[in-house]
Amino acid sequence: MLRRAFCGQSHFIARTCSTPRYKSIQPTNQQEPTNRHLSLDAEGKTVVDLTFVSEALGLPAAAGYGWAQFEFGDLVGDDQRYTILRKLGWGMHSSTWLARDKVRNGFVAIKAQTGHMTEMNEKNMYWEPDATRLVSHPPSSPHCVELLDEFTIPGRGLAGSHLCFVLPVYGGDVKSLAKSRTAPFELPTAKRIILHLLRGLAHAHSRHVVHTDLKHDNIFFSTERETTDIEQCMEADPSRRHPPEMSQDGIVQAAVSQPLPMISDELARRATYLLADFGCALPSKLHDDRTITTAPLRAPESFLGGKWDKPADIWSFGCLIFELAVSRSLFKYAVNDKFNLTEVENMLYQMLLFSNDDHFGAAQLSIWPLASQYFSATCRLKKDPDVVQWPLEVRIGENKAIPSTDVSALAALMHRCLRLNPDDRATAEDLLQDPWLNGADD
């Protein structure tokens, strides 16, 4: 399976080497599906490409897919408690739907896992349900996603079953919020996001949950919209579907993703931000070599094949402090042509540049299995690039939007997170007392 993104819209291309059998299912309108393309491979065999404008409905759970196919008005959950109203969005392992809860007489969000991930959960190979339950167990935190209910429903055709989480309706995520703006976050707003994210992280760590995927997409914010406001949004922008598409399970018609309207700058300044999406979370312990986190936010122990735990989250948080405050990435995961460094070598090189005289020690490198590929016996990078200190204060100060009175304090907070030895990093609980965060809730 290949995934391509064009102009901000996701297109899936699923490929098989023989023409699949299609059920005779009539589309819901008269449009003829045009997403099926035939070609020949190098051996002259017929190749079928299926392109999808949204999530790839109608592909089997057994092959790693199985997105939920809801109709608007479907009744789901115990006693058919929830009525599906529209799709809010989707990701690689789930789709999220707005629903009305007849018991609470209000709106909720239902996150439906793909059939593949539901199977993984049944085999105890997927920890998101346990992690979400742990962080939701009383006393919960307003800065972590809250699980209100859960149930499993049968899917359609090849999709398998769907484990569904019932969550509050949130306003959106910080990545979408940043994209909706014409300028970077004002520092008070950035500081508020940073503090609330840290509170959520501290709560998750207190429940022995390592998130492993901190990023803008996984920071949600609250909404002040009442039930009547959401009803008005739906009347102004009714739920819609994309044109019919061919699939391995017949003709399908994906719902259009229609998130709630983005909040204003004023509301962003007073919103509650929270840590969400525990799809990559794992229980706290020293985990063996396993790649975690998007590369620019990844801790050195993960790059070097070492064991990792909560400090890996702290490293990612330190990188996010810079991204949220400065609206730029601290690390660039790319080849360094000047010193002939690969992407990984360049990441390690940048870590040394911003280390404030911190260094990788021999004892530390000796227990990281991949360290010998990159470091010499003297703990220097084997390609020996010229390492000149590039203080974080300078990196932060390059952005003239950060007041000079904040630069040193902000750099000091980041240094507490970005220690090369994970044992030297501060805990989330300790970081909550950092003086730079004072007044962030004002």
Side-chain angles (χ1 to χ4, degrees), residues 264-334:
S264 66
D265 289 351
E266 179 183 352
L267 289 177
R269 284 192 288 270
R270 65 171 187 258
T272 298
Y273 296 89
L274 61 142
L275 179 59
D277 196 343
F278 287 82
C280 296
L282 287 169
S284 174
K285 66 176 184 178
L286 280 175
H287 291 271
D288 291 326
D289 177 23
R290 171 174 170 171
T291 301
I292 56 172
T293 312
T294 185
L297 306 176
R298 188 176 302 155
E301 59 267 31
S302 182
F303 276 114
L304 296 176
K307 294 184 176 183
W308 51 265
D309 197 351
K310 296 174 186 176
D313 275 348
I314 298 299
W315 178 280
S316 298
F317 174 70
C319 298
L320 279 173
I321 293 173
F322 185 86
E323 290 193 6
L324 289 165
V326 179
S327 295
R328 292 170 56 190
S329 295
L330 178 61
F331 293 103
K332 185 176 181 180
Y333 186 72

Side-chain angles (χ1 to χ4, degrees), residues 79-93:
D79 299 322
Q80 298 187 320
R81 173 175 174 173
Y82 307 104
T83 304
I84 299 294
L85 299 175
R86 73 165 60 198
K87 191 174 77 179
L88 296 172
W90 66 280
M92 294 301 293
H93 302 309

Side-chain angles (χ1 to χ4, degrees), residues 393-418:
E393 290 85 348
V394 174
R395 284 281 282 149
I396 295 168
E398 291 170 350
N399 185 334
K400 304 302 181 183
I402 303 296
S404 58
T405 52
D406 280 84
V407 170
S408 294
L410 178 56
L413 172 60
M414 290 178 59
H415 276 304
R416 298 179 67 189
C417 304
L418 301 178

Side-chain angles (χ1 to χ4, degrees), residues 220-364:
F220 288 6
F221 54 86
S222 62
T223 178
E224 296 183 4
R225 295 183 186 278
E226 302 291 343
T227 299
T228 53
D229 296 327
I230 296 177
E231 289 172 342
Q232 290 172 2
C233 288
M234 295 185 63
E235 290 175 5
D237 183 21
S239 302
R240 310 187 301 277
R241 290 193 175 276
H242 292 290
E245 297 175 308
M246 192 68 78
S247 79
Q248 291 184 20
D249 208 16
I251 294 174
V252 296
Q253 197 166 5
V256 175
S257 293
Q258 296 172 268
L260 295 179
M262 193 51 62
I263 60 175
S264 66
D265 289 351
E266 179 183 352
L267 289 177
R269 284 192 288 270
R270 65 171 187 258
T272 298
Y273 296 89
L274 61 142
L275 179 59
D277 196 343
F278 287 82
C280 296
L282 287 169
S284 174
K285 66 176 184 178
L286 280 175
H287 291 271
D288 291 326
D289 177 23
R290 171 174 170 171
T291 301
I292 56 172
T293 312
T294 185
L297 306 176
R298 188 176 302 155
E301 59 267 31
S302 182
F303 276 114
L304 296 176
K307 294 184 176 183
W308 51 265
D309 197 351
K310 296 174 186 176
D313 275 348
I314 298 299
W315 178 280
S316 298
F317 174 70
C319 298
L320 279 173
I321 293 173
F322 185 86
E323 290 193 6
L324 289 165
V326 179
S327 295
R328 292 170 56 190
S329 295
L330 178 61
F331 293 103
K332 185 176 181 180
Y333 186 72
V335 171
N336 184 322
D337 292 325
K338 180 178 180 180
F339 295 116
N340 191 30
L341 304 178
T342 65
E343 291 93 336
V344 173
E345 290 169 333
N346 194 36
M347 283 294 296
L348 299 170
Y349 172 64
Q350 291 170 86
M351 291 174 187
L352 292 169
L353 293 182
F354 305 141
S355 67
N356 196 27
D357 290 328
D358 195 8
H359 62 277
F360 290 107
Q364 178 183 354

